[in-house]
């Protein structure tokens, strides 16, 4: 038998809408692929907002399940955008009602094979710390743009603000991250 | 650091892969859920709508309703056997059902008993009851999984106002768990199995015997001979299949369990980094993605795979499968359906937003790809490729495709049932907001809704179904020309 070993390639296969359409016709077998496409970004986003890994996992799970309960008409919109919208609403509700708990933050990992993995990991760790030092609105914008792969228009709709506001937040966030990372390089 | 350097650094990182158990937990929940269905509008609202909307708009509305409505989920084998018990006698089952919204109508296996769930809107909220042979059972706030076993025994899951679910058997509340699901009679209708959650542990209960506690259990499946069950379970983040009481090899995830027709072999999909198929104690090669494995008669096995951005169906007698890709590959392949002799199989494929049915044969020289449509339903095969029947969607209309040719056109076609030993099919159809049954060239009158059937009698001369008309629930029988 021929070998076909390769790493997971979640963008191969049916589109998000196809997968949801299949689900509506009783076939949930492709749902894992939808999860693989979006779960890492969603979990990172939720963990960053809530600073609680276990709670973030619960909300990501709930977001996927609520996606399945959506009005079929709404599923014609970007599934990715809809997932982030559901998750953010859940996170905002949860943040309002939860008590103070121990806080944790997620850390980025290298996106590819690097020549100097230790050095890249160290820089990404600094970036992860800097991300958590951003104001909430700027951190949300950076995460949705960089790892949620949402457009500025989609982020504006999600956050309920004008698109120029999103672009400004993104620019301010990059500048602040640059300053924070510069300070980190200089050391105390 | 400059903003562009920060952007570059952001691009060099990615969110870490979520814990494997989150994936398994979510997929287990998704597998147990049923696809959402649109709420049935209250009869008075429908009547008001009918009076105020012009007939032409009604036609359009019915089309839209169909486009938005959800197809029923695939039935498990134990459940699919329920429809076979319908008696071939025509009678009025009940009056005044408009206010009670009958659903999940089912006959017992011997056709002597019938049951359905009725819902009433009360000031305190919706309440549901099971009606068995015309007698109303206790009221609950949620009822699911109504099924008949053998000799008229029945079971369902019910929720009271207090937390937790009850297993109700022959009208008597029995086991109570924090959550209950996947209740299923064995194929012979004598034994009952279900999954229950209590105090953070999940148990599989088979004929009254409770399994060891698991962190999670899903995909409960009876063997065809009713001798045992198989299911997927999780303990300490390890996912494995349990066959009877024997645990299989641990993986990151297991799903899509299926027994061979003789019940001797169990196959399933597993993930350990990438996906593979496990058949008995052997494994397939790893792939980017694999679909649900399906056994055919004579030891045939088929499943879809994705590799190198191409998707196709592999098939053959395990472990000697034809795995090489055909010249024509697809963006997506559906679950295969085998002919009765196992020499032919058909499946749905999707390319460039269009769908077709592909037919393959054991002596494959190439794939036979059917006409392209906006969408196609699952194929139905009898003995040979000429017996292929499926539903195709063109715009807002559904066509029954028989032997490759478009035949009847409706706004709804489903519940296709093939005549015993023959080529004709019977099905439920929709037209201008009404429903009817079509069998061969014979059409029934139109009804408000066809709730159950059609099913053929053994000599293929009649079909029976249950339908609602003018507030009355009827068991109907139609002679087929």
């Amino acid at each position: 038998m021929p070998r076909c070993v390769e790493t997971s390639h979640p963008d191969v296969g049916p589109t998000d809408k196809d997968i949801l359409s299949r689900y509506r016709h009783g076939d949930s077998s492709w749902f894992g692929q939808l999860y693989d496409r979006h779960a890492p970004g969603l979990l990172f986003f939720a963990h960053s907002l809530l600073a609680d890994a276990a709670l973030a996992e619960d909300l990501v799970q709930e977001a996927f399940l609520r996606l399945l309960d959506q009005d079929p008409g709404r599923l014609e919109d970007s599934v990715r955008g809809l997932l982030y919208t559901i998750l953010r609403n859940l996170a905002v509700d949860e943040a309002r009602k939860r008590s103070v708990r121990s806080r944790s933050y997620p850390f980025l990992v290298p996106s590819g094979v690097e020549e100097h993995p230790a050095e890249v990991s160290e820089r990404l760790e600094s970036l992860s710390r800097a991300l958590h030092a951003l104001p909430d609105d700027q951190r949300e914008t950076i995460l949705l743009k960089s790892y949620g792969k949402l457009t500025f228009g989609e982020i504006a709709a999600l956050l309920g603000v004008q698109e120029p506001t999103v672009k400004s937040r993104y620019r301010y966030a990059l500048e602040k991250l640059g300053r924070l990372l510069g300070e980190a390089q200089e050391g105390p | 650091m400059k903003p562009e350097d920060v952007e570059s650094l952001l691009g060099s990182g990615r969110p870490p892969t979520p814990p494997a158990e989150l994936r398994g937990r979510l997929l287990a929940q998704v597998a147990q859920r049923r696809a959402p269905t649109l709420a049935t509008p209250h009869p008075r609202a429908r009547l008001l709508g009918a009076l105020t909307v012009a007939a032409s708009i009604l036609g359009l509305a019915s089309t839209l309703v169909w486009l938005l409505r959800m197809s029923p989920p695939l039935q498990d084998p134990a459940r699919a056997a329920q429809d076979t018990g319908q008696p071939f006698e025509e009678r009025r089952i009940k009056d005044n059902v408009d206010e009670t919204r009958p659903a999940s109508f089912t006959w017992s296996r011997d056709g002597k008993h019938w049951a359905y769930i009725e819902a009433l809107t009360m000031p305190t909220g919706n309440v549901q009851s099971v009606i068995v042979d015309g007698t109303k059972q206790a009221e609950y706030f949620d009822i699911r999984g109504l099924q008949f076993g053998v000799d008229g025994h029945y079971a369902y899951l019910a929720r009271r106002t207090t937390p937790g679910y009850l297993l109700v058997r022959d009208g008597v509340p029995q086991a109570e768990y924090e959550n209950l699901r996947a209740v299923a009679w064995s194929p012979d209708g004598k034994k009952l199995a279900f999954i229950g959650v209590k105090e953070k542990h999940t148990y599989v209960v088979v004929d009254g015997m409770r399994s060891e506690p698991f962190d999670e259990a899903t995909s409960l499946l009876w063997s065809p001979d009713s001798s045992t069950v198989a299911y997927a379970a999780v303990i300490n983040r390890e996912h494995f299949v349990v066959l009877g009481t024997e645990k299989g090899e641990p993986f990151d995830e297991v799903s899509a369990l299926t027994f061979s027709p003789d019940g001797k072999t169990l196959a399933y999909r597993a993930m350990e980094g990438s996906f593979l198929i496990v058949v008995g104690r052997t494994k397939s090669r790893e792939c980017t993605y694999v679909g649900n494995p399906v056994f055919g008669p004579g030891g045939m096995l088929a499943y879809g795979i994705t590799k190198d951005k191409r998707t196709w169906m592999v098939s053959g007698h395990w472990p000697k499968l034809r795995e090489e890709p055909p010249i024509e590959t697809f963006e997506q392949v559906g679950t295969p359906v085998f002919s009765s002799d196992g020499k032919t199989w058909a499946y749905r494929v999707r390319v460039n937003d269009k769908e077709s049915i592909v037919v393959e044969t054991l002596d494959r020289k190439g794939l036979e790809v059917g006409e392209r449509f906006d969408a196609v339903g699952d194929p139905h095969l009898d003995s040979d490729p000429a017996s292929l029947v499926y539903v195709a969607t063109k715009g807002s209309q559904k066509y029954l495709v028989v032997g490759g040719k478009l035949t009847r056109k409706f706004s709804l076609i489903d519940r296709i049932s093939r005549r015993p030993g023959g080529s004709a099919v019977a099905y439920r159809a929709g037209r201008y907001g009404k429903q009817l049954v079509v069998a061969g060239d014979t059409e029934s009158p139109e009804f408000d809704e066809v709730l159950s059937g059609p099913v053929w009698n053994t000599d293929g001369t009649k079909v029976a179904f249950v339908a609602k008309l003018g507030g009355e629930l009827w068991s109907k029988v139609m002679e087929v020309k």
Side-chain angles (χ1 to χ4, degrees), chain B residues 12 39 43 47 60 79 87 116 137 157 160 191 202 211-212 215 218 248 264 268 308 335 353 364 383 401 435:
Chain B
S12 70
L47 180 61
L60 176 62
R79 184 90 181 118
Y116 66 88
Q137 309 287 304
L157 304 178
R160 293 192 282 220
K191 291 179 279 191
T202 302
S211 71
E212 65 176 286
D215 296 339
T218 59
K264 292 178 180 171
Y268 56 94
D308 298 334
T335 302
D353 288 333
R364 176 176 83 180
S383 55
V401 183
Q435 294 186 353

Side-chain angles (χ1 to χ4, degrees), chain B residues 302-356:
Chain B
Y303 53 90
I305 69 169
T306 298
K307 176 197 168 189
D308 298 334
K309 299 188 179 181
R310 294 197 293 173
T311 299
W312 71 95
M313 187 71 65
V314 300
S315 55
H317 290 91
W318 181 266
K320 294 178 180 175
L321 300 185
R322 280 192 311 215
E323 286 198 328
E324 73 282 4
I327 294 170
E328 191 168 4
T329 58
F330 311 97
E331 293 168 6
Q332 183 183 341
V333 299
T335 302
V337 173
F338 282 92
S339 63
S340 53
D341 61 6
K343 294 179 179 176
T344 305
W345 54 101
Y347 49 93
R348 191 171 51 196
V349 300
R350 187 175 180 89
V351 179
N352 296 330
D353 288 333
K354 294 287 182 184
E355 296 189 346
S356 312

